[in-house]
Amino acid sequence: MLILVINCGSSSAKYELFDVEKETTPCRGIVERIGEDFSVLKHETAGKDRIRKEVACPDHQTAIEIIKDVLTDEGGGVLSDVSEVKGVGHRVVHGGEEFNESVRINDAVLESVEKFSELAPLHNPPSLEGIRGCMKIFEGVPQVAVFDTAFHQSMSKEVFCYGIPYGFYEKYGIRKYGFHGTSHRYVSEKAAELLGRPLEELNAITVHLGNGCSIAAVAGGKSVDTSMGFTPLEGLLMGTRSGDIDPAVVTFLMQREGLSVEEMNDLLNKKSGLLGVSGVSNDMRDILKAIAGGNERAKLAYDIFEYRIKKYIGSYAAVLGKVDAVVFTAGIGENMPQLKDSLERQLRPLLGSETKFLIIGTNEELLIAKDTYGIVKGT
Ligand code: AMP
């Protein structure tokens, strides 16, 4: 059964086609620079040359049409007709408190995704556009929403409530939601599989280190705490995001530097993190090169990055009581065994000899495809 997975970001639309039963991916690609003068389609079909071409793509609905065209192209498309796709799975960043699992999309779900756009203004609107585009083009095909927040809905109230007047939780939904849920869920399930242990009995700390970074404490397959919060800004140091900070710094800087709300938001989300501390780059590969060249600020940025991860693993060990596995994933986590080894050396005395330190490649798209398949088969 063919399942199409769509992941719409603010200016891109990634797609991947899965044959879930055969466990193959016939093709995948991305439409980039949506809304700019020249958008780009990159497309890869198993066993064929890659395609890269400029396309006109003013919005995400058009991106879906471009994706349909390349999938059904008479020359090299893998489909002879769109009806061969039996389900479309969409990554949706924010599902608020309404969704603790993946759901088939109907009008009520669309309304909720729209409502939570207030909490994820950069992420939910493009997802909605992608969903609407697919509902038109893949008419009658079940559409499924897989939320980044859903996996963390199992956190208890003392974990997700902030120490601010309770009325703001009720009025605006201000609380910890957590993100990267699909990745934390995928690698915790994979860790159980790799270690040959029932998921229900496994305590894992999952460390997702990409452009965005987050860490989760997962007990018996359920998230009990995670480092990202109301937005993806809280927690670890990231490429351009500050992570944890004394909130008084925000008001101090706004006052002293005369910064507007937008400017402050921009500073914390786009100008901080590895980039802000090092002054070099948000990309870990550039940071490592700069360190090798003797750049001290790049070294400081790296040291903050590693220290925060250690501190969070230590606190989640306290939360879980016993830790069976610490799992590293995503761009940095999967490609820097030296970081895993260094943290293993430092944390071994705390965690004991039973804890396994693992690197596991994440595959959010595969989990979205499997969830979609499960929902389609059940209908
Ligand atoms: P992601 O968001 O998962 O694509 O991860 C992006 C991050 O992974 C960037 O900071 C990259 O610099 C980093 N990354 C990718 N490859 C490597 C590598 N070989 N060594 C260190 N970092 C890497």
Side-chain angles (χ1 to χ4, degrees):
M1 184 190 285
L2 289 179
I3 301 288
L4 179 64
V5 172
I6 300 283
N7 180 355
C8 286
S10 51
S11 64
S12 68
K14 271 201 237 169
Y15 60 95
E16 188 159 352
L17 191 65
F18 287 86
D19 187 326
V20 179
E21 282 139 349
K22 291 190 195 143
E23 299 205 347
T24 56
T25 53
C27 69
R28 64 161 77 100
I30 185 168
V31 183
E32 289 177 324
R33 300 197 218 161
I34 295 172
E36 292 183 28
D37 289 347
F38 297 102
S39 308
V40 178
L41 167 73
K42 293 179 185 164
H43 180 78
E44 248 180 276
T45 305
K48 287 193 185 163
D49 286 344
R50 291 180 183 191
I51 298 171
R52 183 187 188 284
K53 64 177 178 186
E54 275 184 10
V55 287
C57 186
D59 52 47
H60 286 81
Q61 294 218 22
T62 313
I64 302 297
E65 277 179 34
I66 291 167
I67 293 168
K68 182 219 47 176
D69 288 344
V70 73
L71 291 175
T72 54
D73 182 74
E74 280 187 15
V78 296
L79 302 177
S80 41
D81 191 82
V82 284
S83 63
E84 288 167 47
V85 172
K86 300 301 179 204
V88 184
H90 298 266
R91 175 190 179 214
V92 181
V93 165
H94 220 305
E97 288 187 327
E98 264 173 49
F99 303 102
N100 60 8
E101 59 185 359
S102 305
V103 288
R104 182 162 178 176
I105 297 171
N106 56 24
D107 287 347
V109 173
L110 278 177
E111 234 171 74
S112 298
V113 174
E114 187 145 26
K115 182 173 75 188
F116 298 128
S117 288
E118 197 192 359
L119 302 180
L122 296 179
H123 294 103
N124 274 24
S127 296
L128 262 180
E129 286 291 292
I131 294 169
R132 292 205 170 105
C134 285
M135 288 172 94
K136 257 192 234 152
I137 287 168
F138 300 92
E139 213 191 327
V141 175
Q143 309 282 325
V144 170
V146 179
F147 300 94
D148 267 30
T149 47
F151 182 59
H152 301 300
Q153 276 299 301
S154 45
M155 291 186 294
S156 59
K157 207 162 186 180
E158 76 274 20
V159 175
F160 71 66
C161 273
Y162 290 117
I164 59 171
Y166 188 76
F168 292 124
Y169 166 53
E170 295 174 310
K171 190 172 177 186
Y172 299 117
I174 295 180
R175 51 158 284 175
K176 181 188 275 287
Y177 289 100
F179 298 89
H180 291 146
T182 313
S183 177
H184 289 294
R185 187 179 136 210
Y186 179 83
V187 296
S188 50
E189 287 174 5
K190 264 272 173 244
E193 215 177 289
L194 274 171
L195 297 172
R197 304 269 300 267
L199 181 63
E200 299 70 37
E201 291 170 16
L202 191 83
N203 279 359
I205 296 175
T206 49
V207 191
H208 177 109
L209 305 174
N211 272 319
C213 301
S214 72
I215 176 162
V218 183
K222 298 212 179 318
S223 171
V224 292
D225 200 351
T226 190
S227 59
M228 281 181 169
F230 177 56
T231 74
L233 183 57
E234 192 180 345
L236 300 174
L237 193 81
M238 310 179 212
T240 58
R241 287 174 236 163
S242 64
D244 294 337
I245 187 172
D246 180 346
V249 173
V250 177
T251 44
F252 180 94
L253 274 179
M254 286 177 83
Q255 237 169 11
R256 285 300 186 93
E257 295 278 313
L259 300 177
S260 67
V261 172
E262 287 75 25
E263 286 166 332
M264 193 64 221
N265 220 353
D266 212 49
L267 188 151
L268 293 171
N269 279 290
K270 299 195 177 140
K271 297 181 180 159
S272 298
L274 292 173
L275 172 68
V277 178
S278 71
V280 173
S281 169
N282 64 314
D283 191 303
M284 183 54 91
R285 287 164 291 199
D286 299 334
I287 297 288
L288 296 176
K289 265 187 227 145
I291 294 173
N295 186 314
E296 285 188 11
R297 288 248 306 277
K299 173 81 168 65
L300 174 64
Y302 185 83
D303 288 346
I304 300 174
F305 181 81
E306 179 170 346
Y307 176 78
R308 286 255 180 110
I309 300 168
K310 177 169 74 174
K311 198 160 82 168
Y312 264 99
I313 294 176
S315 65
Y316 287 171
V319 166
L320 291 170
K322 164 182 83 84
V323 183
D324 301 304
V326 181
V327 185
F328 292 82
T329 193
I332 300 171
E334 289 168 32
N335 290 296
M336 287 194 66
Q338 66 273 36
L339 173 63
K340 174 193 75 94
D341 293 345
S342 164
L343 287 162
E344 181 171 355
R345 267 194 310 277
Q346 297 173 66
L347 288 159
R348 185 58 74 200
L350 173 76
L351 297 174
S353 57
E354 299 291 296
T355 308
K356 303 276 186 287
F357 280 70
L358 309 169
I359 290 178
I360 297 178
T362 195
N363 195 341
E364 293 160 88
E365 283 75 16
L366 177 60
L367 197 50
I368 294 172
K370 284 186 168 172
D371 274 10
T372 305
Y373 176 75
I375 287 173
V376 172
K377 267 191 57 171
T379 54

